Amino acid sequence: MQSDTISSPQRIGVPREIFPGEKRVATVPEAVEKLVKLGFRVAVEAGAGEAANFSDESYSAAGAEIVQDAAALWAESDIVFKTRPPSTEEVALMREGGTLIGFIWPAQNPDLMQQLAAKKATVLAIDCLPRTLSRAQKMDALTSTAGVSGYRAVIEAANAFGRYFNGQITAAGKVPPAKVFIAGAGVAGLAAIGTAASLGAIVRANDTRAEVADQVKSLGGEFVKVDYEEEGSGGGGYAKVMSEGFQAAQRQMYAQQAKDADIIITTALIPGKPAPKLITAEMVQSMKPGSVIVDMAAEQGGNCELTVPGEAVVRHGVTIIGYTDLASRLAKQSSTLYATNLLRLAEELCKAKDGHAVINMEDDAIRGLTVIKDGAITWPAPPLKPATPPATTAKPAAPVAEKKGGHGHGSSGPLPAKTLAIIFAVAAVAFWFIGAYAPAAFLGHFTVFVLACFIGYMVVWNVTPALHTPLMSVTNAISSIIAIGALVQIAPPTAGVNDRPDALIHWLAFAALVLTAVNMFGGFAVTRRMLAMFRK
């Protein structure tokens, strides 16, 4: 019996979420097909995906088994995929020694951790993924969920706001653009910035981490800096708790923004800690009537003092939205992204594609995810080991150049004074010879030629290398004035003038005309293509 158990593929169970109002599902039909290709058997509780617009028939077509009884699903599944942390009743249904993968939030749910440990379960908390590992990004469900929530926060704000987001000038009058202030420029904040800016609003944002300022600007927002110098980056890509001095300066800045903004979206939240209070009741009272606040940290107490978790309330004429299910309000999209994250995790656990998940505690990403292993609590994971820098081979020191005549020189350094003197002397003799024996007409053309070469060289040489391609394309096109000189040489002589150029000059002029024509049209073509790269 034991050998049969080992040889048979593991079964992944996907129960229906029972948390009130939750519409998401932990996997989707598209992901089911790929899980089956990894060798797993997949069972989905009947109706699990209906709220996210995934029918039981679509799961069946993808290769999943539809189970009517939730208790049977939990008891007969080797691995359970969940979205919300399981309730006490769900933990009781879980088979002993099974594996659970989903959001757990171990810092906020110590009792849940003890219940799962008593079941001798192995638990992979997707919220504990080490986000600083580049290879873990494909499994980063926090980022996927936060991006959806940030987008939805702007949609909820637009729904509650009584005006256009973008400015308009109509026959009935002028409509100013909405002013949106976003507190916190993490993943959710950046998604909100991009969405609000795309709708035409004037967007301002603030974050304790100064390095996100460029990201805010790249999405069309303006970064508002707090007048207080303090580094705000914390571990794992999160912000840290700031000092009292910084918080006082930040509150002053928020008070100014509250008076001017039409919409405020707050996203400030540090895992394992209560949401910081950023918007006071006085700030709400100072806002214009009809303004909107969307508090994305409502589930952890909220960033606004007047937020009511799970509800939208009106205080002092300001609508304060404290919904805790923003991602669930885009259930199909968020379920698809989350299912993809879990699929990537399953691929890491089942590299042999034999339908058996292997928990490799030597893998930094898997170790960070694993909060309980066979009933033993392994959370928190040890800090990640710093990457070992690649070994470098010591290079021999470059030989010191000998000094001659009091001036050091090397292969790439300046020429010695003696060599420069010889070059200038030879050039002077050559110019004297040309001036003494060349015809006067040639001397004039030669002088213009030398000056043109010198000026052109200095102009192009002193341009930033990044601009060489657009600069050269334009200068090449402009320099095609040479074509005029070639046309003069090719043109038939004027009446009464017999000084027609000989055959050699005639063909040289023709070649110059052809080359400059190619140069001219090519230069403009290159310039046009480069300018097209910067057009939307």
Side-chain angles (χ1 to χ4, degrees), residues 193-467:
I193 292 168
T195 305
S198 66
L199 289 175
I202 298 173
V203 185
R204 300 187 181 97
N206 168 261
D207 196 278
T208 57
R209 299 160 294 183
E211 65 267 18
V212 303
D214 290 338
Q215 299 177 41
V216 171
K217 295 175 184 176
S218 69
L219 291 170
E222 174 190 349
F223 187 79
V224 183
K225 193 174 184 297
V226 176
D227 190 16
Y228 193 97
E229 294 298 330
E230 182 177 350
E231 176 56 42
S233 296
Y238 296 98
K240 71 174 185 179
V241 178
M242 307 302 286
S243 66
E244 287 295 332
F246 182 92
Q247 292 182 32
Q250 187 182 52
R251 283 192 293 270
Q252 184 178 0
M253 182 270 291
Y254 281 160
Q256 295 172 352
Q257 292 297 324
K259 295 178 182 178
D260 186 52
D262 299 304
I263 296 169
I264 295 178
I265 298 175
T266 64
T267 70
L269 192 62
I270 299 175
K273 299 181 181 297
K277 299 300 180 185
L278 305 178
I279 308 298
T280 63
E282 291 75 14
M283 295 180 194
V284 175
Q285 192 169 4
S286 71
M287 296 180 70
K288 292 171 284 190
S291 299
V292 179
I293 296 175
V294 181
D295 194 340
M296 296 185 63
E299 195 164 5
Q300 299 299 324
N303 296 137
C304 177
E305 288 184 348
L306 302 181
T307 296
V308 178
E311 298 182 20
V313 297
V314 178
R315 299 289 185 268
H316 306 294
V318 177
T319 302
I320 304 173
I321 299 174
Y323 297 150
T324 58
D325 59 347
L326 290 173
S328 182
R329 288 171 180 255
L330 282 172
K332 186 166 188 175
Q333 181 66 76
S334 53
S335 296
T336 301
L337 294 174
Y338 182 58
T340 303
N341 295 138
L342 295 189
L343 171 64
R344 301 307 173 206
L345 174 56
E347 291 174 344
E348 290 292 320
L349 298 176
C350 184
K351 294 182 178 180
K353 298 184 179 181
D354 58 355
H356 288 85
V358 178
I359 311 296
N360 180 12
M361 298 296 277
E362 299 299 321
D363 186 314
D364 288 337
I366 304 304
R367 175 63 187 88
L369 285 168
T370 307
V371 295
I372 301 177
K373 180 70 166 68
D374 298 327
I377 296 178
T378 59
W379 180 85
L384 297 175
K385 298 177 182 178
T388 305
T392 56
T393 305
K395 296 181 179 179
V400 179
E402 296 180 2
K403 293 185 178 181
K404 296 182 180 180
H407 296 280
H409 64 280
S411 59
S412 60
L415 293 174
K418 185 177 180 180
T419 304
L420 285 174
I422 294 173
I423 292 175
F424 277 112
V426 172
V429 172
F431 282 124
W432 175 83
F433 181 82
I434 293 173
Y437 296 99
F442 174 81
L443 189 61
H445 289 302
F446 182 74
T447 303
V448 173
F449 173 76
V450 172
L451 290 175
C453 290
F454 176 76
I455 294 173
Y457 173 81
M458 295 304 296
V459 168
V460 175
W461 185 260
N462 289 299
V463 172
T464 304
L467 298 177

